[in-house]
Amino acid sequence: MSDESVHVAMFPSAGMGHLTPFLRLATLFLNNNCKLTLIIPFPTVTHAESQLLSHFHSSFPQINLIPFHLPPPPSPPISGDPMFIRVKTLRESTHLLPPLITSLSPPLSIFISDIFLVTPLLSITQKLSIPNYTLFTSSASMFSFVSNFPTLAHSKFDLSDEIHIPGIPFSPLPYSSMPPILFQPTLFRDFIMEDSPNLTKLDGFFLNTFEALESHSLKAFSDGKVVKDMPPLYPVGPFLPLEVEGEASSPPLISWLNDQTIGSVVYVCFGSRTALRRDQMREIGFGLLRSGYNFLWVVKDKIVDKEDEEIGLEEVLGVELVERMKEKGLVIKEWVDQTKILSHKSVGGFVSHCGWNSIMEAALNGVPILGWPQHSDQKINAGLVEFSGWGVWNKSWGWGGECVVKGEEIGDAIKEIMDNELLKVKAMEIKEGARKAISVGGDCEVTIKKLIQKLKNN
Ligand code: UDP
Ligand code: UDP
């Protein structure tokens, strides 16, 4: 049988933090001559998603891209985080999928969906007898947390408690590191409560991680020490960025980076969907100036890019600060090609919210991290970075918005990571482990090829 007989369908949820890893995983299958169907909810929540999709499709015209048209949004609109509202709509619309799936030819060998859609999809894939896999878009440490969630959710904790979570190498964790969204009555808590007990019913999980970074968690899973009867985990990271990802980015920052000395620039970015308070952003500006280092800072004022486009940088930071910053760095308020920045030799440190994609992109390039987790899984990811020795994280800064961290403190913390030789050595070790995992004949290739063989034999 030719590899073409393996037909992979993928169904991401919402946001660049989910779409990007899906497309990167997709290319692993495309490179192994599998047929690929991408089922994409339309309209996308952000412009960045629709641009990336269109560039990806032009670059891989052989893929079958199926728009999954969603019902119109509820009227009056529900207020809240647009990404979560989208996930809710998706979960309520999966009944529209079966006719679409059964019309595909050849029949599907595997259906890979998003971690946010587990339960609604399970009954569908079971009925259609299609192997159901999930791409978990965060760390194996976070996966340990999610797998243990039903037990954790039913426990009573005090704010001062240290919580043991099987599978997390730096466990016990302070209660303050638990994703707040999951310990409050939120839509998201309901989803994860419903989904976590069903994880063992899936056929497997892809993770954007690698042995050298998360061997403890991966072994705990395979030894059945996190959750009994968990299906196999496939660590196939770190995902390589795609050529097309850069096509949506326009700012002329690479020539600026070319003019800086090696390792002299601190890069600051809080991911694709985290808008900081304006007073906090101004303090970051003062902190960057205080650090004395050159900087490249991506500013975001709104969660969704469509709403951010109308607002100028001066409105967010004030004219005076914007002027002062021009002497030492670049401040950008639009989408940048982050992987190109992190792979540039001038970049010597990364102030990051510790979204998992950002962490893996830094790992791939051996960039030390100053973690500043803002919400969700980010403190768990920051804990892992710190545990692995290639970054630091100042716990007293709290979650995003809990307090306003002063510029003085930020500037000193930046200086500390930029001057820290040990972090650099550790970051290079992590990079080596990352490169080895994705080298020819490395873990990633072996794992994907074995899985494809298994799907062929089914
Ligand atoms: N990203 C980018 N340019 C930007 C902002 C973000 O390329 O201006 C990318 C970043 O490289 C990463 C993704 O967006 O691949 C963000 O994912 P992550 O998991 O780090 O955080 P999230 O946005 O989901 O919070
Ligand atoms: N979460 C998860 N897996 C992920 C990302 C997030 O289980 O890959 C959970 C996590 O518990 C988090 C919640 O989903 O608290 C909300 O995540 P959010 O949408 O903020 O994550 P992101 O958009 O950064 O992936």
Side-chain angles (χ1 to χ4, degrees):
M1 269 207 264
S2 79
D3 281 351
E4 272 283 359
S5 61
V6 171
H7 187 177
V8 181
M10 289 187 160
F11 188 47
S13 65
M16 287 295 271
H18 293 253
L19 180 63
T20 305
F22 263 86
L23 298 186
R24 290 175 181 173
L25 176 64
T27 57
L28 294 183
F29 287 101
L30 288 170
N31 292 342
N32 281 284
N33 302 317
C34 298
K35 182 174 167 64
L36 184 81
T37 292
L38 270 181
I39 305 170
I40 300 291
F42 272 103
T44 59
V45 178
T46 61
H47 276 153
E49 288 164 274
S50 63
Q51 287 200 8
L52 175 60
L53 278 165
S54 104
H55 292 305
F56 185 80
H57 201 192
S58 324
S59 178
F60 297 101
Q62 75 273 32
I63 64 169
N64 183 22
L65 195 146
I66 305 185
F68 183 59
H69 295 290
L70 292 167
S75 177
I78 317 174
S79 65
D81 186 322
M83 308 287 176
F84 296 170
I85 295 167
R86 170 54 61 90
V87 169
K88 177 173 153 50
T89 310
L90 277 172
R91 288 175 74 98
E92 287 164 359
S93 310
T94 49
H95 61 280
L96 302 170
L97 276 173
L100 200 153
I101 294 175
T102 47
S103 70
L104 294 170
S105 168
L108 291 180
S109 321
I110 175 171
F111 193 95
I112 306 175
S113 78
D114 200 283
I115 185 66
F116 296 156
L117 305 171
V118 169
T119 307
L121 283 175
L122 191 60
S123 53
I124 294 174
T125 50
Q126 277 174 342
K127 222 175 265 163
L128 299 174
S129 301
I130 302 168
N132 183 329
Y133 288 64
T134 283
L135 167 56
F136 187 74
T137 46
S138 185
S139 54
S141 275
M142 183 60 191
F143 193 50
S144 305
F145 173 86
V146 171
S147 310
N148 280 293
F149 188 63
T151 317
L152 294 168
H154 289 119
S155 312
K156 287 252 172 296
F157 295 117
D158 284 329
L159 291 182
S160 58
D161 281 350
E162 296 274 308
I163 299 162
H164 177 65
I165 301 174
I168 297 192
F170 46 96
S171 165
L173 277 68
Y175 179 75
S176 58
S177 283
M178 301 296 106
I181 192 172
L182 295 179
F183 288 86
Q184 293 155 5
T186 58
L187 269 181
F188 239 83
R189 178 183 162 94
D190 298 344
F191 299 158
I192 305 277
M193 280 297 273
E194 189 183 3
D195 290 353
S196 300
N198 285 332
L199 295 176
T200 52
K201 298 181 188 148
L202 299 182
D203 294 283
F205 297 89
F206 295 98
L207 272 89
N208 178 16
T209 192
F210 55 100
E211 275 290 333
L213 184 63
E214 296 211 86
S215 58
H216 175 100
S217 305
L218 294 170
K219 183 159 183 331
F221 271 106
S222 60
D223 290 348
K225 289 190 177 144
V226 182
V227 170
K228 239 176 79 207
D229 302 325
M230 192 57 120
L233 263 54
Y234 299 92
V236 285
F239 290 155
L240 272 176
L242 312 171
E243 281 289 317
V244 292
E245 288 173 26
E247 286 172 27
S249 154
S250 50
L253 44 87
I254 297 303
S255 61
W256 180 83
L257 280 173
N258 289 342
D259 292 338
Q260 313 303 318
T261 49
I262 295 179
S264 69
V265 174
V266 56
Y267 168 59
V268 186
C269 180
F270 291 82
S272 66
R273 52 175 257 91
T274 299
L276 271 60
R277 280 164 50 165
R278 288 187 181 178
D279 47 3
Q280 183 61 82
M281 288 198 267
R282 290 190 197 109
E283 293 297 333
I284 292 177
F286 299 135
L288 285 167
L289 289 171
R290 180 186 168 93
S291 76
Y293 279 93
N294 293 335
F295 51 81
L296 174 46
W297 176 22
V298 186
V299 166
K300 251 187 96 59
D301 191 53
K302 295 271 181 274
I303 294 179
V304 176
D305 54 8
K306 294 170 189 171
E307 293 166 24
D308 223 346
E309 279 155 15
E310 306 291 301
I311 302 162
L313 193 58
E314 282 86 1
E315 189 182 333
V316 179
L317 298 180
V319 179
E320 195 195 334
L321 182 58
V322 171
E323 276 310 307
R324 278 179 63 201
M325 298 196 82
K326 282 182 184 156
E327 285 163 34
K328 286 294 279 181
L330 281 187
V331 185
I332 289 171
K333 199 173 155 294
E334 58 185 289
W335 189 258
V336 299
D337 185 358
Q338 172 161 300
T339 54
K340 223 175 238 131
I341 295 169
L342 287 172
S343 65
H344 199 285
K345 60 184 183 337
S346 296
V347 173
F350 182 15
V351 180
S352 171
H353 71 316
C354 298
W356 189 242
N357 295 294
S358 293
I359 295 304
M360 293 308 280
E361 289 157 10
L364 197 57
N365 293 293
V367 183
I369 289 174
L370 169 59
W372 192 349
Q374 299 292 313
H375 56 91
S376 26
D377 55 347
Q378 295 155 14
K379 281 194 184 176
I380 292 180
N381 299 341
L384 177 72
V385 168
E386 186 179 59
F387 173 79
S388 333
W390 56 304
V392 293
W393 158 42
N394 195 335
K395 278 122 209 124
S396 68
W397 292 5
W399 291 108
E402 265 183 349
C403 62
V404 178
V405 183
K406 290 288 172 207
E408 206 170 63
E409 217 179 318
I410 299 166
D412 293 349
I414 290 174
K415 252 163 79 104
E416 251 174 74
I417 61 143
M418 294 298 281
D419 296 343
N420 186 329
E421 290 304 317
L422 190 61
L423 290 185
K424 287 183 194 144
V425 172
K426 280 286 179 190
M428 288 322 274
E429 282 173 23
I430 298 286
K431 173 178 173 176
E432 225 170 89
R435 299 278 163 172
K436 193 163 155 235
I438 52 170
S439 60
V440 178
D443 285 351
C444 172
E445 186 185 309
V446 171
T447 306
I448 278 285
K449 284 201 190 306
K450 259 197 208 155
L451 177 71
I452 290 175
Q453 196 53 49
K454 180 173 153 187
L455 296 174
K456 277 190 211 170
N457 296 340
N458 272 351

